[in-house]
C-alpha cells in the first residue's frame, strides 16, 4: 500500500480592536497537539521570542475548525474573523495557520518547518506580540488520504 505524503499550509491574520482577555486553559492536549505546541515554542525560542501559552477560547476555535474541515473534507480558513469572534477570541491581533499532512509530513517538526519556510506563516508563528495559542490536530480520512492530521493553530496577542 502506497501512502501519499502531503503537507499543505494556509494562513490568515486579522486585526481587531478588543481588549486583551487572556483565559486559563483547563483542557488537555492530545500527544500530537502537545508536540505541535512544543515545536511552535521551540521555534519561537530559537528566534529570541517569548513562548505562547494555551488559551481556552482559541483552543475551542481551533478544535472546532479542524474537526469541521476533517468532517466536511475541505481545507480553508473560511470566515476566519467571524469564526474566531464567535468563540470570543480576543486580540487585538488574531492569526491562524493551517496545515494537513500524512506520514512524516504530519509530524510537528515537519509542519512547523513548512510554516517557517512560508513568509505569511512565519510572520504568524514568529510575531513577537502573539502570546496565546489554540492548537488542534485531529486525525482521520481527509481528501482521500487515510491517517491525515488536520491542524489549526490560532494565535492572539498584539
Amino acid at each position: 500500500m502506497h501512502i501519499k505524503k502531503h503537507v499543505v499550509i494556509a494562513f490568515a491574520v486579522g486585526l481587531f480592536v478588543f481588549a486583551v482577555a487572556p483565559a486559563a486553559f483547563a483542557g488537555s492536549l492530545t500527544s500530537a497537539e502537545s508536540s505541535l505546541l512544543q515545536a511552535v515554542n521551540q521555534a519561537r525560542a530559537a528566534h529570541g521570542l517569548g513562548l505562547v501559552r494555551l488559551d481556552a477560547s482559541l483552543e475551542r476555535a481551533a478544535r472546532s475548525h479542524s474537526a469541521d474541515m476533517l468532517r466536511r473534507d475541505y481545507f480553508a480558513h473560511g470566515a476566519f474573523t467571524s469564526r474566531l469572534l464567535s468563540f470570543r477570541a480576543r486580540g487585538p491581533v488574531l492569526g491562524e495557520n493551517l496545515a494537513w499532512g500524512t506520514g512524516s509530513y504530519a509530524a510537528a517538526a515537519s509542519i512547523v518547518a513548512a510554516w517557517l519556510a512560508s513568509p505569511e506563516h512565519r510572520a504568524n508563528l514568529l510575531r513577537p506580540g502573539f502570546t496565546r495559542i489554540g492548537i488542534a490536530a485531529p486525525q482521520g480520512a481527509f481528501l482521500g488520504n487515510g491517517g491525515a492530521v488536520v491542524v489549526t493553530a490560532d494565535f492572539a496577542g498584539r
Side-chain angles (χ1 to χ4, degrees), residues 15-64:
L15 298 171
F16 302 95
V17 185
F18 291 109
V20 175
F25 179 72
S28 62
L29 298 179
T30 66
S31 62
E33 292 162 350
S34 292
S35 294
L36 276 163
L37 178 60
Q38 182 178 10
V40 163
N41 277 330
Q42 286 174 345
R44 290 179 61 84
H47 289 86
L49 299 171
L51 306 182
V52 290
R53 63 180 171 80
L54 289 172
D55 175 281
S57 296
L58 295 171
E59 186 67 19
R60 285 190 301 274
R63 286 189 172 171
S64 174

Side-chain angles (χ1 to χ4, degrees), residues 12-151:
V13 66
L15 298 171
F16 302 95
V17 185
F18 291 109
V20 175
F25 179 72
S28 62
L29 298 179
T30 66
S31 62
E33 292 162 350
S34 292
S35 294
L36 276 163
L37 178 60
Q38 182 178 10
V40 163
N41 277 330
Q42 286 174 345
R44 290 179 61 84
H47 289 86
L49 299 171
L51 306 182
V52 290
R53 63 180 171 80
L54 289 172
D55 175 281
S57 296
L58 295 171
E59 186 67 19
R60 285 190 301 274
R63 286 189 172 171
S64 174
H65 191 56
S66 280
D68 188 56
M69 289 190 294
L70 189 60
R71 181 178 54 257
R72 295 184 16 201
D73 220 23
Y74 74 96
F75 185 73
H77 294 283
F80 167 73
T81 302
S82 62
R83 179 168 40 83
L84 265 71
L85 292 177
S86 75
F87 284 92
R88 299 184 184 193
R90 298 291 182 253
V93 179
L94 300 170
E96 179 172 79
N97 285 358
L98 303 178
W100 77 270
T102 61
S104 64
Y105 293 102
S110 293
I111 290 168
V112 171
W115 286 344
L116 286 169
S118 161
E120 295 88 357
H121 296 91
R122 182 183 184 88
N124 275 345
L125 185 65
L126 300 181
R127 183 178 180 93
F130 282 158
T131 58
R132 293 172 286 123
I133 192 170
I135 292 181
Q139 183 176 5
F142 186 68
L143 300 176
N145 298 278
V149 174
V150 180
V151 175

